[in-house]
Amino acid sequence: MSDATEAGEPAEPTGSDEGGAGGRRVRVVLVDDHRMFRTGVQAEIGRTDITGVEVVGEAADVDQAVTVITAARPEVVLLDVHLPGGGGVEVLRRCAPLMSDAENPVRFLALSVSDAAEDVIGVIRGGARGYVTKTITGTDLVDSIFRVQDGDAVFSPRLAGFVLDAFASTDAPPVDEDMDRLTQREREVLRLIARGYAYKEIAKQLYISVKTVESHVSAVLRKLQLSNRHELTRWATARRLV
């Protein structure tokens, strides 16, 4: 069974020897902060003569992503949600003019290890056309890329429910007022703290100083009216953010 479903009519199958769906080609940029993962995706889907996917650029953080996407103008961007520099939502915000280009729009497909409802809804609100998890097979990922290129919405099955719950109702979706007080970077630090990372490890992963991490943690504790990182971890766990 396919790991991805889409809203709309099924696309033609991909992965033929002619190069993608009926000989079609799609130019893709990979955005993920783990080099080994990018290398693996490139090896899996980047055999252009077989898959029809041409990887035209890679990036490991928000600034790199915006620079590479602007220069390469791919049809589709595979975007990780948690990135140094502000996360996938920040990439989407800064690339909004490229997404709205009437003639050659750049479309985004989130590809993340996270299956948290907050992450899914956040990037879809930001303009991404779909969201699949990293458990997806190479064949299904290629298929999802072509569907997104066609303008379809593509989701791993369980994640589609999050989007339907958030957007199908005419009422405004539930808002977590506590989370809304936090900046994107504060949310990143919150998750890492709740997962047990030390300040030095967080600083290294987010490309910031230990002192900056300490400042973010203090701000999070103050905004959430918590006393220490143990309370913070319980708070994050209760909201399934870990």
Side-chain angles (χ1 to χ4, degrees):
M1 180 180 294
S2 170
D3 189 56
T5 58
E6 49 84 22
E9 295 298 323
E12 296 176 7
T14 63
S16 71
D17 291 339
E18 297 179 357
R24 291 174 53 195
R25 298 293 175 95
V26 57
R27 299 168 69 253
V28 171
V29 165
L30 304 178
V31 181
D32 193 286
D33 59 339
H34 294 96
R35 181 179 59 81
M36 290 185 65
F37 179 76
R38 297 198 309 272
T39 300
V41 173
Q42 166 80 286
E44 185 74 22
I45 71 172
R47 297 166 295 167
T48 309
D49 57 332
I50 297 175
T51 65
V53 176
E54 180 185 2
V55 178
V56 296
E58 298 182 13
D61 59 38
V62 170
D63 288 340
Q64 288 179 15
V66 174
T67 299
V68 171
I69 294 166
T70 301
R73 294 298 294 264
E75 283 88 26
V76 177
V77 177
L78 289 181
L79 179 68
D80 194 10
V81 175
H82 300 140
L83 294 168
V89 172
E90 179 65 12
V91 175
L92 292 164
R93 186 186 70 79
R94 292 168 60 178
C95 290
L98 301 181
M99 288 189 282
S100 60
D101 186 315
E103 294 185 1
N104 299 295
V106 176
R107 295 191 168 100
F108 288 78
L109 173 62
L111 175 62
S112 177
V113 69
S114 171
D115 61 358
E118 176 193 332
D119 288 334
V120 178
I121 295 169
V123 295
I124 298 304
R125 281 177 173 158
R129 294 295 306 173
Y131 194 119
V132 294
T133 62
K134 289 180 178 179
T135 58
I136 193 170
T137 66
T139 300
D140 285 343
L141 181 56
V142 169
D143 187 59
S144 297
I145 290 169
F146 276 100
R147 290 175 176 175
V148 167
Q149 182 191 24
D150 288 337
D152 291 331
V154 182
F155 298 94
S156 291
R158 193 173 78 86
L159 307 186
F162 296 151
V163 180
L164 290 173
D165 289 344
F167 295 101
S169 174
T170 56
D171 298 327
V175 174
D176 188 326
E177 294 182 359
D178 289 333
M179 283 296 295
D180 282 351
R181 295 189 185 101
L182 306 182
T183 66
Q184 181 65 33
R185 177 47 59 87
E186 288 169 351
R187 296 182 190 192
E188 292 175 345
V189 171
L190 163 65
R191 286 191 181 92
L192 294 174
I193 284 288
R195 290 170 184 169
Y197 283 72
Y199 286 3
K200 287 184 178 179
E201 294 172 321
I202 296 173
K204 182 177 181 181
Q205 181 156 338
L206 299 182
Y207 299 94
I208 57 180
S209 69
V210 173
K211 182 173 291 187
T212 301
V213 174
E214 292 173 349
S215 297
H216 285 313
V217 172
S218 296
V220 170
L221 292 173
R222 183 181 70 255
K223 291 179 179 180
L224 300 181
Q225 299 182 354
L226 301 174
S227 301
N228 53 56
R229 65 181 297 166
H230 299 295
E231 290 184 1
L232 187 152
T233 299
R234 288 197 295 271
W235 187 93
T237 302
R239 285 163 173 77
R240 302 176 65 185
L241 301 178
V242 181

